[in-house]
Amino acid sequence: MLAAKIPCTHYMDDWLTAGASLEEATRYLSMMSMILAMVGLDLNPDKSEVGQRMVFLDVLLDTVTMTLRFDRIPIAAFRVQLVKYLRCIEEGFVVEESTIRHVCGKLNWYSEVLQSGRLH
């Protein structure tokens, strides 16, 4: 992507690009898809969208208002999970290590977004 001069970022298998216009963003997305296909990887067409307000990793990126905010539905679901895990711990049950790692990773991601927002 760097050699093709495509502005992008990724996290695991989620990719994000940006363009000055709808046409440019669509072109970048197409180029990214072709590059990944050349090395045997595919972009999921169901996750390929272009717009000015998009959710990326539970964060709503809004280029109209130039704001970031957490998407309410996944955040509400994550809160329910956290309350459930807290109750389990309080009642003496063991939470699986893989679950702990998942929760820690998600909390770390949310804190990174908050800190980046403060900086910018």
Side-chain angles (χ1 to χ4, degrees):
M1 302 308 167
L2 292 174
K5 299 196 181 334
I6 300 171
C8 66
T9 189
H10 71 283
Y11 184 80
M12 304 297 276
D13 64 341
D14 291 310
W15 288 79
L16 181 72
T17 187
S21 66
L22 174 64
E23 293 77 21
E24 186 177 55
T26 303
R27 183 170 49 86
Y28 286 148
L29 184 60
S30 177
M31 290 169 63
M32 289 168 57
S33 183
M34 288 188 310
I35 290 168
L36 289 170
M38 288 182 345
V39 297
L41 302 171
D42 292 318
L43 281 180
N44 183 347
D46 294 336
K47 293 174 79 176
S48 297
E49 48 186 303
V50 178
Q52 291 182 289
R53 290 185 178 110
M54 306 200 47
V55 176
F56 182 69
L57 301 173
D58 295 346
V59 178
L60 176 63
L61 308 172
D62 188 332
T63 62
V64 175
T65 62
M66 294 306 288
T67 58
L68 321 161
R69 56 190 174 271
F70 295 114
D71 191 39
R72 291 178 188 218
I73 294 170
I75 293 297
F78 188 53
R79 181 183 183 282
V80 169
Q81 286 179 331
L82 288 175
V83 169
K84 175 186 155 193
Y85 301 142
L86 179 60
R87 285 193 185 127
C88 286
I89 292 168
E90 290 172 341
E91 293 173 7
F93 293 100
V94 176
V95 177
E96 292 182 16
E97 185 176 342
S98 61
T99 300
I100 293 170
R101 289 182 186 277
H102 169 75
V103 168
C104 289
K106 201 160 201 164
L107 289 172
N108 187 60
W109 165 244
Y110 290 157
S111 66
E112 286 180 40
V113 171
L114 288 172
Q115 187 61 35
S116 294
R118 287 187 190 130
L119 290 174
H120 298 290

